[in-house]
Structure formats: structure tokens, C-alpha cells
Amino acid sequence: MQTSVGNSHAKIILIGEHAVVYGQPAIALPIFAVQTTVRVTAQPTLSEPLINSPYYSGLLSQAIGQMQGIRRLIEQLWQQLDDQQTAFELTIESELPAERGMGSSAATAIAIIRALFTFYHQELNQRDLLKLAALSENMIHGNPSGIDAATTGATTPLWFVKGQPLQPLPIDLQGYLVIADSGQKGQTGPAVKSVQNQMMSNPERTQPLITHIGELSQAVATNIAQNQLTALGQNLSLAQDDLRALGVSNSRIDALIETANQAGSLGTKLTGGGRGGCIIALAKTQTNAEQLAQRLRQAGAIKTWIQPLHALHTN
Ligand code: MEV
């Protein structure tokens, strides 16, 4: 029986999360080593699509809770791509931990869209891919900037400004990022909402923090262009100070960040929505990165990944 496959990958935000929702620039990196795969197989004997996933297995119409965004997306695609409404079985396999700031919901949406367009032999352009991914992302996260979908579907690092065309950002540095999963779920939607509440109730305090994060993103772009690894690390740590002031860090994340800084990280911050999830720490060499990763695991990180700051492009 014919099976179609769609792939996507994890993302991390190097700098600019939360501020990006308010129009500030952010830099995000595709993490190709951590993949989501969706397989679609025709099931003409069923009356509606069947979903197999780590979060839910069963008929599409019964998918509720966190699966509602994905359900909405699949319903839309089924209606749009198949006049006959022939059912299929859709299997989601993901190496991305859910709700840890690595873009698992966006990666799932991107892989589903790619798999179904392949299944129905339809051409898919980047604009439609991101528009469709926004269907589920808006339901899951409330008011996302679109950076997660853009990066989990991208082939290069991105300089991302909400509502503007995607801009590839070449990165070729002799440094390494250690990504460490705190093991604590951090839901992006509520974190974004809490910043929105502060923006409404106390704009005098909140807006300068948001603006400063945008300035740090600009500074990091310069650091990347001029191969300034130490300054880049310092700017990551300054962004963490702003994110902490916005209330999206927490004690568990702060403790891991402290561990990384004591173990020689050049700069450390949360990545993604925060309030749990992952941190990133900058290391000069692969050996430094391995030592940092080990210290973070000893301090309770449940998983670590090492991402060189080159080899960030696919064709
Ligand atoms: C989540 O990965 C990044 C946030 O800035 C939300 C968004 O931009 O959609 C927290």
C-alpha cells in the first residue's frame, strides 16, 4: 500500500523569544539531528482518518485537548486536498520532547502538511506551508509569532521578524551550543499570555525589556558576522536577564543556567517559551561542550544535545 512521508526538525531560538511577538527581531536555528516524521497510508475501509501518535491514538474526530490544533489542521487538509474524502492512517513519530521550547507542535504540523501534500501529489510552496501550520499553531499557542513553524520548516538559520519575509542568516562559527532539557514542561501559550498581561498592565516596565531583547538580537547578528564568540555569549546572558525580568524563567531553569555558567559556558539562557523547557549554553570547543553537557546532566537535565554553530544548512 502506498505510504507518503513528511519530515521536519526541531528548532531553538538563539535569541529574541517573546520580544519577537512584539515585532522585535529574533534568530532561530534548525536542529536537523532531532526529527519528526509523519507517515500517511490510505485506509479506504475507514470512514475517517485514524491518528497514531505519542500523544493520542484514535479517530480524528475524537482527538481533543492538546490535539485539537492538529485535528483542525488535518480536517482542513483532508477537505482541501481530497474530493473523494477517502480515509487514511496518519502516524506521527517524533524525537522532539513536547512542550520544551524545541518546537514540537510546529514540527508536527509541518511534517503533517508535507506528508499529506505528497500523499495527494500536490505542490507545496513555503508560503502555503506556513499559512497552514498557523492553523494549528494559533489554536495551540494563542498568539504565536510564527517563528516556530518557520524554523522547523527551514533549511537554514533565520533572522525572523514577525510578518516579514523570512531571511536566511548564514552562521559559520567555531562554537558549539549545548541544549539541555530541564525535564519540566513549559507551555508556550500561557508564557506568551503572561508577557501580554504585563505589557497591558505595566507597559512602562515591560516595553523597555522587549526593546532591549531586540537590540541584543541585533548585537548577536553582528557577533555572528564578525566571529565574536565571547561577545555573543555575553549577549545571550544579557537576554536571559531580560527574560527573567519578564517572569518567563523559573528556579529550575535558573539553577541549570547557574550550573552551566559555573562550568565555563560563554553565555547561557532559556530557549523558547520558558517556564521550564530547555536552556542553551555556548561553548568554544567540542570538548568544552561535552563537559558542559555532562555537568548539566549531573545537575538534573534529562537530555542534552550538542549543536555545532556550523553545519546548520541543508540543501
Ligand atoms: C516560542 O518558541 C517563542 C515565543 O516567542 C512565542 C512565539 O514567538 O510564537 C515565546
Side-chain angles (χ1 to χ4, degrees), residues 4-232:
S4 297
V5 180
N7 287 303
S8 62
H9 47 259
K11 70 95 186 42
I12 58 132
I13 296 185
L14 183 63
I15 191 157
E17 53 273 271
H18 287 291
V20 72
V21 174
Y22 300 91
Q24 297 295 332
I27 299 172
L29 316 181
I31 307 295
F32 300 120
V34 186
Q35 288 275 319
T36 296
T37 304
V38 167
R39 291 189 172 76
V40 179
T41 308
Q43 289 292 358
T45 54
L46 291 175
S47 59
E48 62 167 294
L50 184 69
I51 312 297
N52 296 313
S53 82
Y55 332 104
Y56 168 80
S57 291
L59 291 174
L60 182 65
S61 62
Q62 309 295 308
I64 53 167
Q66 279 294 95
M67 284 298 289
Q68 277 187 83
I70 295 301
R71 173 178 156 191
R72 167 88 189 81
L73 174 65
I74 296 173
E75 281 169 353
Q76 166 69 34
L77 289 167
W78 194 35
Q79 192 183 18
Q80 175 179 330
L81 299 172
D82 187 358
D83 311 338
Q84 312 292 317
Q85 295 282 280
T86 309
F88 51 79
E89 185 170 345
L90 185 146
T91 302
I92 304 167
E93 282 165 16
S94 189
E95 298 169 347
L96 282 77
E99 297 176 82
R100 306 288 164 73
M102 290 182 80
S104 70
S105 63
T108 300
I110 295 286
I112 287 173
I113 299 162
R114 286 181 172 157
L116 283 171
F117 269 74
T118 305
F119 186 69
Y120 290 113
H121 307 288
Q122 298 289 317
E123 290 285 317
L124 177 64
N125 62 39
Q126 181 78 357
R127 198 173 142 271
D128 290 343
L129 174 68
L130 298 186
K131 220 166 117 188
L132 285 162
L135 278 179
S136 59
E137 286 292 278
N138 289 351
M139 269 185 93
I140 296 167
H141 296 313
N143 178 30
S145 63
I147 194 170
D148 288 13
T151 317
T152 56
T155 56
T156 64
L158 295 177
W159 172 258
F160 183 94
V161 180
K162 187 179 176 179
Q164 290 188 11
L166 299 182
Q167 231 177 292
L169 181 79
I171 299 183
D172 193 11
L173 293 175
Q174 291 309 312
Y176 294 80
L177 277 182
V178 179
I179 307 165
D181 181 354
S182 69
Q184 197 179 49
K185 288 191 173 186
Q187 289 186 350
T188 301
V192 169
K193 185 90 192 135
S194 80
V195 176
Q196 190 189 344
N197 289 342
Q198 292 171 61
M199 196 57 129
M200 284 185 322
S201 63
N202 196 349
E204 298 79 12
R205 177 181 182 276
T206 311
Q207 184 59 57
L209 292 169
I210 295 290
T211 306
H212 189 236
I213 294 175
E215 288 163 1
L216 290 170
S217 292
Q218 302 271 7
V220 165
T222 305
N223 300 150
I224 289 169
Q226 300 183 357
N227 206 359
Q228 300 162 329
L229 206 61
T230 307
L232 195 162

Side-chain angles (χ1 to χ4, degrees), residues 182 184 237 240-245 247-262 268-270 274-279 296 299:
S182 69
Q184 197 179 49
S237 290
Q240 173 61 22
D241 293 343
D242 292 335
L243 291 164
R244 194 178 291 119
V248 292
S249 201
N250 67 12
S251 56
R252 170 116 193 85
I253 290 297
D254 287 345
L256 284 178
I257 287 173
E258 186 57 29
T259 299
N261 289 340
Q262 280 181 9
T268 318
K269 61 183 276 296
L270 64 81
R275 292 169 141 196
C278 290
I279 65 156
L296 285 164

